[in-house]
DNA sequence: GCCGTTTTCGGCCCGACTGTTTTCAGTCG
């Protein structure tokens, strides 16, 4: 049972407890611990197995620790089973319908016997719901609409869709509306979460109605959901919802912070404020004894007033960032501008669409000092993978381009297949001629965990393999991660000196954020690679940087922040010593 | 149910919106 599943059980316990009318703070305790567990980097199952103290987890005390141990060791939690037996199974789904919470669900069950989402829909339509105390026609209508819109989309847009859509909207509004002074993307998109429910924009403008109007009339708006005054909500043609809020200059800092979230981070910040005798809200900070209030034009001054280091959005997850900021321990995270090269790039020699010259020129114009051209190996027949003969021609061609392109160092590379048994589909004699070898899994992705782990570790032991590409092979929203013992893989990567790629393609983001954290802590050298197949996607590095930042990576954790000379000495090092150089580079 | 530079007891994050109410409960972010 993984952490996500355990977290869901505690969420359910919170909901059921609320229906039962338990103490409010008991419920809050369960809700809090559910969120913490959902993001906890180490599997609780593993912790119990290793006899680690679960009470190290914030929000876990004696009672919850016992419940977790029982759940993990026996597969069942007695108190949860008992609680669940008190209500029909479908009730938990009823609670998940927007606008319906535990209290409403309980009341509808008591009064109407509603215990499933279907019955809820019926009761809302046939008028019986409206007759229940504290319910009414409008409430019924809202539930009907919620159920319908849920059918249309159970709406998580991948960042690959949402971020470009947000960028386009921002650019369009800025062009149409001269009165805009500030316009920023907020919400989880700003935190570079991999999927989002909607795009949040926060705007300061001298003429708010101009901006609201411009948004609702924008060409790619499919539907206007709400709006007027200082806010608007639309559905874009690609199905993503976009909410725009207009605020005053002096409100911007607190509101931008508030709407960036996440909820847990904001909660921690408010607790911290309270300990200082202050009350924080989306409108500013009030001194609870003097009643004096302060407002903020930007986020930095708000964090400063709270005695905290500025916390970059990517770290605002409600984990340890507020404590770290108190101590001044927020690191200087890696930035796009730190990248000195790209180590995973395709051309039309395999499945890319641009020529080698075009990709090299594009890399150079990004200011890179080096770039590895890594077309596919022969195993990728479908991707026009290179035979050994074509690989030699590929290298010769790159050499000729190098002669005419003195400003950037070109590395002859390859993205080689890791075969099902862990061997590489070029022989060692060929691999050792290459400057840079990225090995990736592209086939037999459904192997069981033990086989897959051994397969990848075997590839990492190959002395000519520099890096592993998109380790988990997932495609966000489409294909799951491989099953493997990732911790064992990270340990082997550190031990063998194999670089792990953070594939920046927004469809992949692989390693994902929590894996980046774990790998970094285990001393793995990471690289941020675009895996570009066309000129424009070289710019995808921003997504990889976002993931790296979510994993608390500094420049020193990322290989391709090294300047050319240091990078070349990294390549000359014995593989087993490679972890050292990047860690030492600050 | 958790937790401690006020506390082993007594607190525990804030505000808007909606729909139902004549002052507020529930839900959401």
């Amino acid at each position: 049972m993984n952490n996500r599943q355990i977290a869901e059980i505690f969420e359910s316990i919170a909901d059921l407890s609320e229906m039962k009318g338990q103490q409010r703070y008991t419920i809050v305790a369960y809700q809090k611990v559910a969120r913490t567990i959902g993001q906890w980097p180490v599997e609780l199952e593993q912790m119990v197995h290793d006899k680690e103290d679960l009470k190290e987890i914030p929000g876990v005390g004696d009672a919850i620790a016992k419940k977790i141990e029982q759940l993990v060791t026996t597969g069942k939690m007695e108190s949860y089973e008992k609680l669940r037996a008190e209500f029909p199974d479908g009730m938990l789904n009823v609670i998940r319908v927007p606008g319906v919470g535990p209290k409403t669900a309980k009341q509808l069950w008591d009064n109407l016997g509603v215990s499933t989402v279907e019955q809820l829909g019926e009761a809302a339509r046939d008028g019986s719901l409206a007759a229940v105390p504290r319910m009414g026609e409008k409430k019924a209508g809202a539930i009907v609409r919620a159920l319908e819109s849920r059918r249309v989309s159970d709406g998580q847009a991948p960042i690959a869709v949402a971020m470009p859509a947000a960028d386009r909207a921002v650019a369009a509004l800025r062009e149409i509306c001269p009165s805009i002074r500030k316009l920023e993307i907020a919400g989880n998109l700003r935190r570079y979460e991999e999927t989002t429910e909607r795009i949040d924009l926060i705007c300061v403008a001298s003429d708010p109605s101009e901006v609201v109007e411009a948004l609702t009339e924008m060409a790619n708006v499919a539907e206007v959901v709400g709006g007027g005054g200082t806010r608007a909500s639309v559905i874009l043609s690609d199905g993503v919802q976009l909410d725009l809020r207009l605020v005053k200059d002096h409100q911007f800092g607190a509101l931008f912070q508030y709407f960036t979230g996440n909820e847990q981070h904001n909660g921690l910040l408010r607790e911290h404020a309270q300990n200082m005798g202050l009350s924080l809200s989306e409108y500013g900070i009030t001194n609870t004894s003097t009643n004096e209030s302060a407002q903020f034009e930007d986020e930095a001054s708000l964090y400063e007033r709270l005695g905290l280091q500025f916390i970059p959005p990517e770290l605002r997850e409600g984990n340890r960032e507020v404590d770290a900021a108190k101590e001044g321990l927020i690191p200087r995270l890696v930035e796009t501008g730190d990248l000195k090269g790209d180590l995973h790039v395709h051309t039309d020699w395999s499945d890319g669409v641009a020529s080698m010259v075009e990709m090299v020129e594009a890399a150079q114009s990004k200011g890179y000092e080096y770039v590895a051209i890594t077309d596919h190996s022969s195993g990728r027949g479908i991707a026009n993978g290179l035979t050994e003969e074509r690989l030699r021609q590929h290298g010769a061609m790159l050499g000729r381009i190098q002669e005419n392109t003195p400003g950037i160092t070109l590395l002859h590379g390859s993205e080689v297949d890791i075969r099902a048994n862990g061997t590489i589909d070029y022989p060692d004699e060929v691999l050792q001629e290459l400057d840079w070898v990225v090995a990736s899994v592209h086939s037999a992705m459904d192997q069981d965990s033990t086989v897959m782990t051994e397969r990848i570790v075997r590839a990492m032991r190959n002395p000519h393999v520099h890096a592993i590409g998109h380790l988990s092979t997932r495609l966000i929203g489409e294909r799951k991660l491989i099953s493997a013992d990732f911790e064992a893989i990270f340990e082997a990567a550190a031990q063998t000196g194999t670089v792990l790629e953070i594939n920046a393609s927004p469809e992949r983001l692989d390693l994902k954020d929590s894996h980046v954290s774990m790998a970094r802590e285990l001393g793995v050298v990471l690289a941020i690679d675009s895996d570009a197949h066309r000129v424009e996607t070289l710019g995808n590095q921003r997504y990889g940087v976002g993931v790296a930042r979510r994993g608390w990576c500094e420049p020193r954790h990322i290989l391709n922040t090294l300047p050319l000379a240091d990078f070349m000495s990294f390549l000359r090092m014995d593989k087993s010593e490679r972890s050292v150089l990047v860690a030492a580079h600050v």
Side-chain angles (χ1 to χ4, degrees), chain A residues 13 20 40 57 166 196 210 253 264 269 297 395 402 551 578:
Chain A
I13 292 177
K20 227 187 137 180
W40 196 249
I57 303 169
T196 188
E210 175 193 60
Q264 278 170 277
L269 225 50
E297 287 201 12
Q402 178 73 86
R578 281 183 189 155

Side-chain angles (χ1 to χ4, degrees), chain A residues 223-480:
Chain A
E223 188 191 342
V224 177
V225 186
T230 58
R231 58 197 305 170
S233 191
V234 301
I235 311 278
L236 300 174
S237 50
D238 42 19
V240 190
Q241 180 168 336
L242 186 154
D243 285 5
L244 170 73
R245 287 182 179 76
L246 284 121
V247 304
K248 304 251 188 304
D249 283 299
H250 61 275
Q251 300 174 322
F252 182 81
L255 274 156
F256 193 31
Q257 193 288 316
Y258 172 74
F259 282 112
T260 298
N262 71 6
E263 214 181 322
Q264 278 170 277
H265 174 79
N266 290 352
L268 288 179
L269 225 50
R270 285 170 178 187
E271 276 172 25
H272 170 74
Q274 203 180 39
N275 290 336
M276 295 174 76
L278 303 172
S279 169
L280 168 68
S281 81
E282 57 264 51
Y283 300 107
I285 294 177
T286 309
N287 185 316
T288 38
S289 45
T290 66
N291 237 6
E292 269 177 287
S293 63
Q295 294 179 311
F296 303 90
E297 287 201 12
D298 58 58
E299 282 186 325
S301 51
L302 185 146
Y303 281 97
E304 197 183 325
R305 176 66 188 87
L306 293 172
L308 297 173
Q309 233 182 323
F310 181 77
I311 303 177
E314 296 91 339
L315 301 187
R316 299 181 196 169
E317 292 292 323
N319 296 323
R320 59 193 171 94
E321 73 277 7
V322 175
D323 284 336
K326 271 187 236 172
E327 310 283 325
L329 295 176
I330 299 288
R332 202 290 249 170
L333 302 178
V334 63
E335 295 165 10
T336 314
D338 293 323
L339 298 182
K340 303 288 198 298
D342 195 332
L343 300 171
H344 188 163
V345 172
H346 295 271
T347 73
D348 59 8
W349 278 72
S350 62
D351 61 348
V353 298
S355 70
M356 211 180 258
V357 172
E358 287 168 324
M359 291 308 265
V360 166
E361 283 175 353
Q364 191 174 25
S365 72
K366 294 190 88 66
Y368 289 151
E369 299 177 17
Y370 47 92
V371 61
I373 301 297
T374 53
D375 280 300
H376 285 286
S377 61
S378 49
R380 295 279 80 208
I382 195 169
N384 193 24
L386 307 183
T387 59
E388 290 177 33
E389 176 55 28
R390 283 187 68 220
L391 181 68
R392 271 189 292 276
Q393 297 166 2
H394 183 257
M397 166 74 100
L398 194 67
R400 285 196 292 280
I401 295 173
Q402 178 73 86
E403 282 168 23
N404 299 318
T405 323
I408 183 167
T409 296
L410 308 181
L411 303 165
H412 187 214
S414 177
E415 182 182 13
V416 296
D417 270 25
I418 303 174
R419 295 195 191 112
N421 64 3
T423 58
I424 304 299
D425 67 349
Y426 287 135
D428 282 0
E429 311 83 83
V430 174
L431 293 177
Q432 70 180 2
E433 295 298 316
L434 292 166
D435 301 318
W436 181 254
V437 177
V438 186
S440 311
V441 168
H442 290 112
S443 59
M445 295 177 199
D446 54 355
Q447 289 175 325
D448 77 44
S449 176
T450 315
V451 176
M452 182 60 90
T453 305
E454 277 171 15
R455 171 184 182 184
I456 292 168
V457 170
R458 183 172 179 193
M460 291 195 295
R461 292 221 174 93
N462 184 311
H464 308 297
V465 167
H466 293 90
I468 301 294
H470 50 69
L471 175 66
S472 81
T473 78
R474 70 153 177 186
L475 294 173
I476 295 169
E478 286 176 37
R479 186 167 70 208
K480 282 188 169 165

Side-chain angles (χ1 to χ4, degrees), chain A residues 35-113:
Chain A
R35 286 193 292 255
T36 307
I37 291 172
Q39 298 186 10
W40 196 249
V42 187
E43 289 297 324
L44 267 49
E45 207 170 70
Q46 192 65 37
M47 287 182 74
V48 171
H49 181 259
D50 297 346
K51 305 237 180 320
E52 282 179 58
D53 190 5
L54 292 170
K55 286 194 280 182
E56 280 172 22
I57 303 169
V60 176
D62 287 319
I64 291 180
K66 284 214 182 70
K67 287 180 204 287
I68 294 171
E69 278 164 24
Q70 193 189 33
L71 179 65
V72 167
T73 50
T74 70
K76 282 207 155 100
M77 189 194 302
E78 209 178 316
S79 56
Y80 172 56
E81 299 297 330
K82 256 164 117 180
L83 195 54
R84 225 169 52 162
E86 294 182 40
F87 300 94
D89 276 344
M91 294 285 277
L92 287 170
N93 296 328
V94 174
I95 293 173
R96 307 265 140 80
V97 175
V100 180
K103 297 275 170 63
T104 307
K106 171 72 161 43
Q107 200 181 19
L108 294 179
W109 186 45
D110 288 344
N111 283 279
L112 303 173

Side-chain angles (χ1 to χ4, degrees), chain A residues 504-518:
Chain A
S505 164
E507 290 84 15
R508 291 188 181 271
L509 300 182
D510 184 6
L511 312 180
K512 63 176 185 162
D513 48 13
S514 58
H515 281 166
V516 169
S517 276
M518 198 194 289

